[in-house]
Amino acid sequence: MYYNENTIIYFNGQFVKAAEAKTDLYSQSLHYGYAVFEGIRSYPVGGGTKIFKAKEHYDRLRHSAQLMKMPFHYSTEQLMELSYEVLRKNNFTDAYLRPIVLCSANMSLSKGKESYLAIEAWEWTNGYLANKMRIMTSSYRRPNPAGFHIEAKVSGHYVNSILACQEAKDNGFDEALLLDNNGFVAEGPGANVFYEKDGVVFTPAKGNILPGITRATVIEICNELNIPVRETFFTVEEMQGADSGFYCGTAAEVVELASLDNVAFKLNWEDSLGAVIQKAYKCKVLEKEFQLQKEVA
Ligand code: PMP
């Protein structure tokens, strides 16, 4: 359950009970997927709570709204303050925040006239994705960047994610891997992808993906640990049978891939760079110091 009768959200200028908040059935957001949102994590840090990369997430939310030409006037600082207030009012520390910008009743296809901000949050209990995921190459491709602002986090884009994710599950896999419009590996339905080969970590270059905040954090970690990382275009065949692979995203964090189209990754996860990055990521979000083991240094 995402909320109960006591859950408080921020909605349209007020803190209200989630169970009592109402939205408009004539909204452009509902009919056309014309809404922008974020997925953000807060972690228990220093006896309180800390929102990981709050500024980056709210800058992206504002950028997404701007690309969609939605009127949206909150500053990043205001959005951060409101988010902490939602966490405080619900007494959450380890939580997931889901701000969404909705547009008003309007059946036309012109830009939104008014927007409403909701900030929803729920306690983070037991993760999001399966561990050790078996993924399959999807028959669905990511939306064409010539037709969408693919770098924006827009609700309508996620119809593509639902199709791909469900197709993978219907075929007995845990998750999908989508290609871009040119046939190169792009990303998962809700996460970015990396693989490791011969001590180098690869991830799809920007242009056809949602360039994740976790992806940027993983690159930051690689740079800190002197792990060579390449942002480039590559095929499924190049990735299949590599040393290790992982998905990463705010909700998923860093999650191991067991196989791609039933071809297993070579290394034991414990011996992979992926595992090192996974541990370093966990330390970063919890603001703990990461000690690099000698054997991988
Ligand atoms: N790609 C897609 C399609 C996503 O939905 C997400 C999750 N927001 C990501 C990548 C990862 O982005 P982030 O690390 O910013 O959560």
Side-chain angles (χ1 to χ4, degrees), residues 37-40 57 60 96 98 128 142 150 153 157-158 160-161 178 186-193 209-217 248-253 281:
F37 70 102
E38 272 301 318
I40 312 179
H57 281 284
R60 185 168 70 186
Y96 183 83
R98 176 52 71 88
Y128 172 68
R142 286 299 287 162
I150 194 74
K153 205 163 162 64
H157 297 178
Y158 284 82
N160 170 256
S161 298
L178 292 99
E187 59 189 325
N192 290 115
V193 62
I209 57 170
L210 182 81
I213 290 161
T214 318
R215 176 185 176 278
T217 308
C248 72
T250 299
E253 301 180 325
Y281 186 79

